[in-house]
Amino acid sequence: MRLRSAHSLRTRLLWFLLAAILVTALAQALTAYRTARAEADEIFDYHMQQTAMSLRGGLSVSGGVATGAQGLDEENFDFVIQIWTADGLRVFESAARAQLPQRAVLGFSDVKAHGATYRVFSLQSRSQVIQVAQDMAARREMASKLALRTVVPIAVMAPLLMFVVWWVVSASLAPVSRVRRQVAERQADDLTEVSEDGLPEEIRPLVHELNLLFRRVRQAFDAQKSFVADAAHELRSPLAALKLQAQGLQRAGDGATREMAVSRLTAGIDRATRLVEQLLVLARQQANATAGAPPQPVALTEVARLAVMDATPSAQARLIDLGLGRGDAGTLDGHPEALRSLLRNLLDNAVKYSPPGGTVDLEVCHEADVMRLSVEDSGPGIPEQDRERVLARFYRAAGADVVGSGLGLAIVRSIAELHGATLSLGRSRRLGGLRVELLFPIRR
């Protein structure tokens, strides 16, 4: 639970915001308290000064000292007023108990008397000295009460503001909780997209990327299911043929018949082996496209030379003139083994479909921002209406008399899509057969 709270965005936001509100409220309350006390001191000083100035008219001098509160000397008055004549004769005192010193400093001063500290303001008129004093203890008490009144609203508003912040953070992160519930409540095979309605701009890109991931995984699963179904269907025929050929071998009565049956069985095994190899290559390329393996710089001409070397034995067996006509230097970001498999499939198809003594040419051209790869042969070519369909798995054009699995061009298209290349099929003007052209984008 502690680890979950430490990594919870909601908890972290609430802790930081509530702590910031609390610290700010305390700082504001302390500042307001000190400011209110300072202002109260200024107000009290102003009152003392105004009181003294209002007495500048003077009092009549008599034989005794006039007392402002006769019989109430023990009363604790907030202000104490004493007036002396110019000769030092005290003619008025509001509280005899205070007994402030007669020697006065004009203006404001702090005076200690009888264990108490007084704030004193002295003013000299033409004939008298007026002294107004206030007990500092009483002043601090009144100033503190005034200051506390300014702090009370802050103490009330801070919890209210903390509640509002808690509500706003919880409401703002509610869409995140909704997305989490949608993902948590779905089944393992449920790859439907998560709703992006009502999501904030900060969360929507994350959910969008999650939906793209679900879409890619769903496409990979669909491709896998389709691949398994097609592979099972296509493997059924060669396996059934192998079974029939094995039964024919068992029924062979003489050596010549047995030799023919063995030859047919070997050819059937070769065809089944080739089909399985093609299926594995196609599955591997689809897995690479889904996994997104990092590309690396590849010299396409070098890969083409290796592919020509791989296809040379089969071309020599059929007396096919196979060669690399043009090989420009240049690199592209790709996967070397996948590109070699692409070229090997193109050359194998060209050699198989070209008549004995025919020609197969391979070219690699560097043009502007692309690498152009082309394979031409002198075979029958592919009708225009079938050129798009032959790129699908297990499809073979009508009238083809060459044994094959129908996977070669499907593998080529899969590898081309992996590299972002453009694949096109056409007719070779020079050799009369099929021309396969791929344009690979390159980085400068």
Side-chain angles (χ1 to χ4, degrees):
M1 183 65 181
R2 183 179 301 174
L3 182 61
R4 179 182 177 183
S5 298
H7 294 280
S8 171
L9 179 61
R10 177 178 178 273
T11 303
R12 189 179 305 174
L13 284 175
L14 287 176
W15 271 110
F16 279 126
L17 291 176
L18 296 182
I21 292 174
L22 182 60
V23 171
T24 304
L26 291 176
Q28 186 176 4
L30 181 60
T31 303
Y33 182 81
R34 291 183 174 180
T35 302
R37 287 197 58 176
E39 291 178 353
D41 284 337
E42 293 179 359
I43 292 174
F44 289 143
D45 286 347
Y46 176 75
H47 286 172
M48 293 171 61
Q49 185 179 11
Q50 291 299 314
T51 302
M53 294 180 66
S54 66
L55 297 173
R56 284 185 301 178
L59 295 175
S60 61
V61 179
S62 61
V65 179
T67 303
Q70 296 179 359
L72 297 176
D73 292 342
E74 299 301 324
E75 186 72 23
N76 185 17
F77 292 97
D78 288 340
F79 290 95
V80 177
I81 302 174
Q82 292 182 347
I83 301 176
W84 289 274
T85 64
D87 299 332
L89 177 63
R90 185 169 55 192
V91 295
F92 179 81
E93 61 181 1
S94 62
R97 186 177 62 86
Q99 295 183 355
L100 295 175
Q102 183 175 355
R103 300 178 65 87
V105 178
L106 297 181
F108 287 101
S109 62
D110 293 335
V111 177
K112 291 184 178 181
H114 301 283
T117 302
Y118 290 87
R119 179 70 167 170
V120 181
F121 178 76
S122 300
L123 174 67
Q124 184 175 6
S125 64
R126 289 175 295 179
S127 60
Q128 296 174 340
V129 176
I130 304 169
Q131 193 176 57
V132 180
Q134 184 183 23
D135 190 346
M136 290 298 293
R139 170 184 281 215
R140 292 192 184 98
E141 183 180 356
M142 288 186 292
S144 298
K145 290 180 180 179
L146 292 175
L148 286 175
R149 291 177 185 176
T150 63
V151 174
V152 169
I154 299 175
V156 174
M157 292 300 297
L160 180 61
L161 182 59
M162 295 172 74
F163 173 77
V164 172
V165 168
W166 174 83
W167 180 81
V168 170
V169 171
S170 300
S172 300
L173 295 179
V176 181
S177 301
R178 175 171 58 85
V179 172
R180 180 187 60 81
R181 288 195 301 270
Q182 289 182 6
V183 177
E185 293 174 358
R186 63 176 57 196
Q187 300 296 325
D189 57 347
D190 185 5
L191 296 175
T192 57
E193 297 181 358
V194 179
S195 175
E196 300 182 18
D197 297 335
L199 293 179
E201 293 297 330
E202 292 78 9
I203 304 299
R204 185 174 299 171
L206 175 62
V207 177
H208 181 69
E209 293 298 328
L210 180 64
N211 288 332
L212 292 179
L213 176 61
F214 283 160
R215 190 180 307 168
R216 290 194 295 268
V217 174
R218 185 170 64 249
Q219 291 174 353
F221 282 170
D222 293 342
Q224 183 182 20
K225 292 178 181 178
S226 176
F227 175 80
V228 171
D230 292 343
H233 179 268
E234 292 298 323
L235 285 173
R236 187 180 298 115
S237 296
L239 291 178
L242 289 177
K243 184 177 181 180
L244 292 176
Q245 290 162 0
Q247 292 174 353
L249 179 61
Q250 291 177 345
R251 292 193 299 266
D254 53 17
T257 305
R258 187 177 299 106
E259 185 68 24
M260 183 179 295
V262 170
S263 177
R264 291 177 178 177
L265 180 60
T266 302
I269 293 174
D270 291 339
R271 288 195 297 270
T273 301
R274 176 63 176 168
L275 176 59
V276 172
E277 290 176 351
Q278 295 283 74
L279 288 173
L280 291 176
V281 170
L282 182 59
R284 189 181 302 113
Q285 298 309 320
Q286 290 179 344
N288 290 337
T290 303
Q296 62 187 48
V298 180
L300 189 58
T301 300
E302 295 301 321
V303 176
R305 289 194 178 96
L306 294 176
V308 169
M309 293 174 61
D310 293 339
T312 296
S314 59
Q316 290 177 346
R318 293 175 53 83
L319 302 178
I320 301 294
D321 181 14
L322 171 63
L324 178 63
R326 177 180 175 182
D328 293 346
T331 60
L332 56 88
D333 291 338
H335 307 270
E337 290 302 321
L339 291 173
R340 189 172 179 178
S341 177
L342 177 147
L343 283 165
R344 187 163 53 243
N345 278 277
L346 287 178
L347 295 179
D348 286 348
N349 279 349
V351 170
K352 283 194 304 183
Y353 284 92
S354 294
T359 303
V360 175
D361 286 340
L362 172 63
E363 289 186 351
V364 177
C365 304
H366 190 176
E367 301 176 358
D369 294 334
V370 298
M371 294 289 290
R372 183 186 301 273
L373 172 67
S374 63
V375 176
E376 298 179 87
D377 62 60
S378 57
I382 298 177
E384 186 174 357
Q385 65 272 16
D386 288 336
R387 289 174 187 170
E388 183 64 27
R389 300 179 64 185
V390 294
L391 299 176
R393 291 174 296 185
F394 305 114
Y395 180 82
R396 303 183 71 242
D401 56 355
V402 179
V403 178
S405 60
L407 287 174
L409 291 178
I411 294 173
V412 170
R413 184 176 68 171
S414 177
I415 299 175
E417 292 175 351
L418 176 63
H419 291 79
T422 301
L423 172 64
S424 61
L425 305 181
R427 187 168 188 83
S428 174
R429 296 181 180 179
R430 185 169 57 86
L431 300 180
L434 179 67
R435 173 183 172 87
V436 181
E437 185 176 88
L438 293 103
L439 298 178
F440 292 91
I442 59 175
R443 292 188 305 172
R444 288 188 178 275

